[in-house]
Structure formats: C-alpha cells, structure tokens
Amino acid sequence: MLFPGALIASAAVLMTGMSQIPTLEEIHQLPAVRELPDPFLKPDGERVRTAQEWEARRRQLLEQILRYEYGPLPPEPGRVVVEEIATRILPGTDIMEKELVLRTGPDLAVRTRLLLFIPPGEGPFPVVVRGDLCWGRISTDIVTQIARRGYALADFDRVDIAPDSAERAGVYRAYPDYRGGRLAAWAWGYHRVIDYLVTLPYIDVKRIIVTGHSRGGKTALLAGATDQRIALTAPNNSGCGGAGCYRFQGEGSEDIAAILRNFPFWFQPHFHAFIGQVERLPFDQHTLKALIAPRALLSTEALGDLWANPSGSQITYQAAREVYTFLGASDRIGIVFRQGPHEHNADDWNALLDFADWQLAGKTVARRFNQLAFPDLPLPYTWRAPTRIDAPHTP
Ligand code: GTR
C-alpha cells in the first residue's frame, strides 16, 4: 500500500541539510541566552507579527530542535504494510482487538507489533496512538475506559522500531546512515502507525491523538511537533527531553547531564556538548511545545515525580501558551497536575479523554486545564506574545 498523503504531512522538511548533526565547535559558538529564548524573535532581530511569519519561524525552530537536540527523523518510507495476526473480542468487554504487525522502511525491514482496540459501533472513531507496548500489555481497565468514551486505541512497540540501547537494530539497520537519536526514531514510529490508521474507514483522521509515558511521553511530544496530522498531543510525566525545561530545573529533577549519563543514544550524538551550558540551546522545551500550536496539546504531570520536573513543565506550558495566545488558540494548550508518583494511571487517561472531548468534540467538560500547581514561580523569561498586525483568527 502506498500512502502519498503521508509524504506531505510529516518529515519532508525534516530531512534537509539543516537538520544534520552539528559539530562540537558550532555548538560552543552558539550565543548564550540565559532566559527562555523568545520564540518570536527572528534571525533579523525583529519579532514575528503575523501568523504567516510565525509559520516561517516555526519551520526554523523545528530545524534547530532536530539539529541540536534530537537529530533528524529517519526518511519517509512511503510504504507501510500491515498483516493481521488475530482478531478477537477482548474478554469481558464489547471491544474488538486486532493483533497486527506493521512493516515499513527499505525492504519492509522495520517492523513493529501493533494492537488496535476498536469500540463497538460504526465509527469513525477518534484514535489514541501509544508506543509503550514494550512495557507490557496495557490493562483491560484502561482499554475499557478509553473505549467507553468512544475512542479507539492503537498501541505499538517503539522498541521494535529502534532498540532502547546503543544497538543499531530496527531503523538503524534499515537506514545505515541514519544518525538521529532514539526519540526521533520512535517519533517516526508514531508517524508510520498513523500512515496506516488514516487508511481505515472507521478511524476519524481529523481526531488523531498521540500519548506516551515518560520516555514514551518525550517521544509523543516530538511526534506531535513533527506531524501535522496529529490533532492532540498528550505527553505524560515526560520530564527531561520532554515537557520539562532545561533552563529551569525544579528540586530533584533530571537534568541534561543526568539523562545523557544513562541515555546518550536518545538524542543527537553531540547533544552532550550542551552539558554545563544549556543556555547555548537556541530554544528550550517551551519551543517544542509551541511547534504544535494551534493544534491541541495537554501535558499531564505528577507532583510526586520530582525527577520529571513538574515545575519546569509548568514553565514550558506558560511560555508555550504565549504562542497559542498569539495564534488565537490559548485554550488549546493545557496542563494537569495530580498527586502521586511516576506512572500513567487512570487519572491521567481521564484527563486526556476530558481534554479530547472538549478540544476535538466540542463537549462541555467540568475539568479545567489551566490550573497551576506552582502559582508563585517567577517566570524565567521577560517576553510575551507580540501584538498581531494581521487579522487575528477567531478561535
Ligand atoms: C528514567 C529517565 C527518565 C524517564 C524514565 C522512563 O530512567 O531518567 O528520563 O525517561 O526513565 O522512561 O521511565
């Protein structure tokens, strides 16, 4: 099967020369910016004033983030083939479960397991894509919770796409010259699952959601930033390299040195050059969030998960919201904090489904998505959304 639509939407722009790996010398020469960098500031020193200028600026920021942080995504494969292994009704429910294998890349050499859960009815159903199958089968309770709200779930194994180690299997074997990190490779995996989902008549292509937990949340955030087919991006407890700020590290949080000590292969090979000088990053993680605007974005955070920098995730929410405000979409970015530890639990899924009901189906929901857990934190940036000189779009 060939899906030409996929070619336009995601990574064509990501494979340009600009997104290749930077030299160490180049990184050391980047200017130090102590506050969170102003995403509206153009290379000519002027600030963005129109939606069209933001589009151009967004492309530059996307290239910088891939170049300096994650590395490029693998090439567009053009072809995704899915084999059905089994179909059954999930015991004790009315949910259909399809066990599939998705193959893609050169000679279809990249493969991943994929479970697709479909609620009863005709559809088309909004769908949540998750890449955390590597951590074990999602619980039937969570699948039921999702299906009862009328959503399908596609759960794939990101570690099939690329191993969570320095080993060069999966996309690294299929594309021997590929030098991006695991988070970029895994994000590409989300995009390939979406290539398949958009061909299914019972899936609502306008309501595709991506989520994931922890390293899977970092991946979901990057996947959402790099593919406009995604209507809602929902990283959970994603922390360092995800929703967490590099320039604002809350107490006990993982920083760039800590993450690279354990997982250097998650990022572009020279990301370590920013250790001890994160102020040379031309962006911070608010910029990654801002790339998603005006599409919907919800980050779910746990107050007991200090390692994942919940206060720093609030900061990136506040800063990215300036871009949403500029685009007339300030309600489309949200953050939800809960008590408790690092996990992806029923409360997190409820928050996501509430936000999706509101943002993608226009339903009224009781929950609010702009409640700060750290209202007194001083903002580590001085800039705000510029005044637009073009006709602002009405949300
Ligand atoms: C930790 C890592 C975090 C987070 C977490 C996870 O060891 O330091 O950044 O990714 O693993 O994915 O569970």
Side-chain angles (χ1 to χ4, degrees):
M1 281 182 279
L2 268 171
F3 307 123
L7 296 176
I8 321 160
S10 52
V13 63
L14 314 181
M15 291 310 299
T16 64
M18 265 301 283
S19 8
Q20 298 309 315
I21 312 305
T23 62
L24 297 177
E25 196 193 358
E26 182 191 338
I27 293 174
H28 291 299
Q29 281 169 4
L30 289 166
V33 183
R34 287 190 197 280
E35 69 165 3
L36 298 199
D38 176 0
F40 297 103
L41 190 61
K42 298 188 290 178
D44 66 3
E46 300 287 318
R47 296 184 84 217
V48 165
R49 300 290 297 276
T50 66
Q52 206 183 353
E53 281 180 357
W54 170 254
E55 260 319 297
R57 180 70 188 131
R58 179 189 177 276
R59 279 195 296 277
Q60 293 165 352
L61 293 169
L62 173 57
E63 291 202 330
Q64 286 186 334
I65 288 176
L66 294 178
R67 180 170 178 77
Y68 295 114
E69 184 173 7
Y70 300 107
L73 270 63
E76 286 282 346
R79 190 159 75 118
V80 166
V81 172
V82 171
E83 181 190 345
E84 204 166 303
I85 309 295
T87 297
R88 63 172 188 157
I89 296 293
L90 191 58
T93 75
D94 50 7
I95 302 161
M96 191 197 294
E97 175 183 353
K98 284 175 183 284
E99 189 184 332
L100 308 163
V101 173
L102 181 149
R103 291 192 169 79
T104 188
D107 302 325
L108 298 177
V110 184
R111 63 170 287 286
T112 175
R113 289 185 300 145
L114 171 65
L115 299 181
L116 184 56
F117 299 94
I118 307 154
E122 294 289 300
F125 304 106
V127 61
V128 186
V129 186
R130 172 186 182 265
D132 295 343
L133 185 55
C134 46
W135 283 330
R137 196 184 153 82
I138 190 166
S139 79
T140 299
D141 283 354
I142 300 276
V143 176
T144 307
Q145 184 186 349
I146 296 167
R148 276 218 191 101
R149 304 277 292 255
Y151 293 75
L153 171 70
D155 196 15
F156 75 101
D157 184 342
R158 80 181 112 78
V159 169
D160 280 340
I161 301 285
D164 198 350
S165 67
E167 191 202 342
R168 292 186 66 84
V171 291
Y172 293 91
R173 191 168 299 145
Y175 300 100
D177 297 333
Y178 176 59
R179 299 190 68 203
R182 298 301 177 276
L183 297 168
W186 294 334
W188 178 93
Y190 274 80
H191 300 168
R192 305 294 66 86
V193 171
I194 293 170
D195 291 346
Y196 167 61
L197 294 172
V198 298
T199 67
L200 301 175
Y202 51 85
I203 291 297
D204 184 345
V205 300
K206 296 220 169 332
R207 289 190 282 166
I208 294 173
I209 300 163
V210 292
T211 193
H213 172 60
S214 204
R215 65 197 75 182
K218 306 179 208 300
T219 304
L221 185 56
L222 181 58
T226 49
D227 192 334
Q228 310 256 10
R229 295 173 299 177
I230 295 165
L232 196 171
T233 301
N236 185 70
N237 298 186
S238 60
C240 189
C245 197
Y246 287 112
R247 284 175 178 78
F248 182 90
Q249 298 283 164
E251 186 201 340
S253 63
E254 181 178 34
D255 65 7
I256 185 175
I259 202 166
L260 290 177
R261 206 172 300 127
N262 297 320
F263 308 109
F265 43 83
W266 285 357
F267 300 88
Q268 62 92 355
H270 290 161
F271 193 45
H272 60 83
F274 290 98
I275 293 175
Q277 46 170 5
V278 287
E279 64 279 358
R280 294 201 192 275
L281 281 171
F283 49 81
D284 208 308
Q285 295 305 84
H286 65 299
T287 319
L288 180 63
K289 286 184 166 182
L291 298 180
I292 296 169
R295 289 174 293 127
L297 166 62
L298 177 71
S299 71
T300 43
E301 307 297 336
L303 292 168
D305 185 9
L306 295 184
W307 189 241
N309 197 7
S311 52
S313 299
Q314 177 181 299
I315 296 283
T316 62
Y317 157 76
Q318 290 172 293
R321 197 161 195 250
E322 295 293 330
V323 173
Y324 278 81
T325 300
F326 179 78
L327 296 174
S330 53
D331 282 349
R332 297 186 77 79
I333 181 168
I335 192 162
V336 168
F337 296 93
R338 63 159 166 82
Q339 299 299 328
H342 187 67
E343 61 186 10
H344 200 176
N345 67 25
D347 289 346
D348 305 313
W349 280 97
N350 261 331
L352 160 60
L353 295 166
D354 286 350
F355 193 66
D357 275 359
W358 177 39
Q359 290 294 325
L360 306 185
K363 292 187 188 162
T364 307
V365 293
R367 193 195 294 264
R368 292 171 64 195
F369 299 92
N370 59 0
Q371 304 298 292
L372 304 182
F374 310 91
D376 303 325
L377 272 188
L379 295 179
Y381 54 95
T382 51
W383 47 269
R384 297 291 180 272
T387 306
R388 271 174 72 167
I389 56 167
D390 58 343
H393 132 118
T394 340

